[in-house]
């Protein structure tokens, strides 16, 4: 009897695992109650501040990016990045806008991502940008605003990773 039960459990395990869906945690760093990513990256010592500053400005070229401010003396370039986050098969999606700051030094650079806003594009929903913090706060406490929350926050997390990786690729050229 125990052998039969064990066999049935082993047979059903793949179905149990797939029914749970994506249970990996969503990683969005926060500071003072706001979504805020900040990290410093080291490069080869041959990279100088002036070269990295030019690379930071170059990264902001593109349709989804806009430079807001620059300061060559401080080595800072700040701008916005807008991406689209698709939500399942409903045809609904969100535009996500975030401020990206890059500060360069000799052989290192710092990336900051903050002021994250979402704008739903679906029938019956206001199409205005709104800050993500309240929605993220409720979602983390088990009170999602809608079924779109999980894919939205996963998309935002992926977008932040994409931004950081893309800047890293530009800086290490």
């Amino acid at each position: 009897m125990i052998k039969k039960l064990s066999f049935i459990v082993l047979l059903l395990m793949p179905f149990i695992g797939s029914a749970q869906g994506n249970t990996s945690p969503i990683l969005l760093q926060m500071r003072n109650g706001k979504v805020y990513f900040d990290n410093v990256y080291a490069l080869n010592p041959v990279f100088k501040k002036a070269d990295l500053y030019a690379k930071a400005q170059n990264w902001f070229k593109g349709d989804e990016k806009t430079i807001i401010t620059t300061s060559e003396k401080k080595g800072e370039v700040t701008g916005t990045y807008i991406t689209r986050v698709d939500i399942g098969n409903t045809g609904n999606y969100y535009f996500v806008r975030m401020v990206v700051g890059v500060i360069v030094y000799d052989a290192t650079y710092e990336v900051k991502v903050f002021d994250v806003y979402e704008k739903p594009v679906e029938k019956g929903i206001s199409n205005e940008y709104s800050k993500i913090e309240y929605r993220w706060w409720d979602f983390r406490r088990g009170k999602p605003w809608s079924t779109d929350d999980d894919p939205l926050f996963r998309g935002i997390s992926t977008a932040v990773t994409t931004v950081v990786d893309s800047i890293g690729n530009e800086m290490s050229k």
Side-chain angles (χ1 to χ4, degrees), residues 77-105:
V77 182
T78 303
T80 58
Y81 175 82
I82 299 174
T83 189
R84 177 179 163 151
V85 175
D86 291 314
I87 307 297
N89 299 325
T90 63
N92 299 335
Y93 59 92
Y94 286 79
F95 283 117
V96 175
R97 183 182 71 207
M98 56 190 80
V99 175
V100 178
V102 180
I103 305 168
V104 298
Y105 312 95

Side-chain angles (χ1 to χ4, degrees), residues 41-44 47 51-52 54-60 65 81 102 104 109 111 158-173:
Y41 301 91
L43 295 168
N44 188 318
F47 290 110
D51 297 329
L52 293 175
K55 290 178 181 188
Q57 284 187 310
N58 191 53
W59 181 83
F60 278 98
K65 305 170 211 160
Y81 175 82
V102 180
V104 298
Y109 66 96
V111 176
T158 299
V160 170
T161 300
T162 299
V163 164
V164 170
D165 290 347
S166 177
I167 292 170
N169 290 337
E170 182 68 32
M171 293 300 186
S172 59
K173 285 183 183 176

Side-chain angles (χ1 to χ4, degrees), residues 18-30:
S18 65
Q20 293 177 356
N22 190 353
T23 58
S24 62
I26 300 170
L27 303 175
L28 287 176
Q29 296 180 21
M30 296 192 76

